[in-house]
């Protein structure tokens, strides 16, 4: 991690805890606007944030971006996305 990427990751984690999946996605966009490249851990956190907010469609959309970004999905990537699907059924 670069220091700036770590700061974004911490901010995404904080927004997840507050149930603000929208802020998590805004942070990923802001990272890109700053010329930083979101990496697998950062996108995993954003997927988890979407899952926590029961936004499974957005979580799956982020997961589908991994190949486009030339990133490797991790087990956490898939688990976070599957968790988002599961949480959406608990409404």
């Amino acid at each position: 991690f670069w220091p700036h990427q770590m700061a974004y990751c911490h901010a995404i984690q904080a927004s997840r805890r507050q149930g603000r999946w929208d802020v998590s996605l805004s942070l990923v966009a802001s990272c890109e606007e700053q010329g930083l490249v979101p990496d697998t851990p950062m996108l995993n956190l954003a997927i988890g944030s979407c899952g926590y907010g029961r936004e499974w469609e957005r979580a799956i959309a982020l997961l589908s971006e991994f190949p486009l970004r030339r990133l490797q999905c991790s087990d956490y990537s898939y688990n976070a996305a599957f968790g988002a699907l599961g949480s959406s059924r608990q409404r």
Side-chain angles (χ1 to χ4, degrees):
F1 280 130
W2 295 98
H4 294 7
Q5 286 175 311
M6 284 180 56
Y8 275 101
C9 286
H10 288 296
I12 291 169
Q13 281 181 320
S15 64
R16 177 192 175 272
R17 279 187 238 119
Q18 295 175 356
R20 296 298 310 268
W21 59 269
D22 55 329
V23 172
S24 294
L25 295 182
S26 293
L27 287 164
V28 171
S30 174
C31 176
E32 293 173 318
E33 291 167 5
Q34 296 297 318
L36 300 173
V37 178
D39 57 7
T40 297
M42 186 184 299
L43 292 179
N44 285 347
L45 289 169
I47 290 170
S49 183
C50 289
Y52 191 74
R54 296 183 177 174
E55 291 291 324
W56 68 268
E57 297 97 340
R58 295 180 195 280
I60 298 301
L62 279 173
L63 184 68
S64 70
E65 290 181 18
F66 275 76
L68 300 173
R69 295 174 181 267
R70 296 190 173 140
L71 293 174
Q72 186 96 15
C73 290
S74 66
D75 290 342
Y76 184 87
S77 308
Y78 294 114
N79 286 335
F82 289 139
L85 290 169
S87 69
S88 70
R89 297 183 55 84
Q90 296 174 0
R91 287 187 176 192

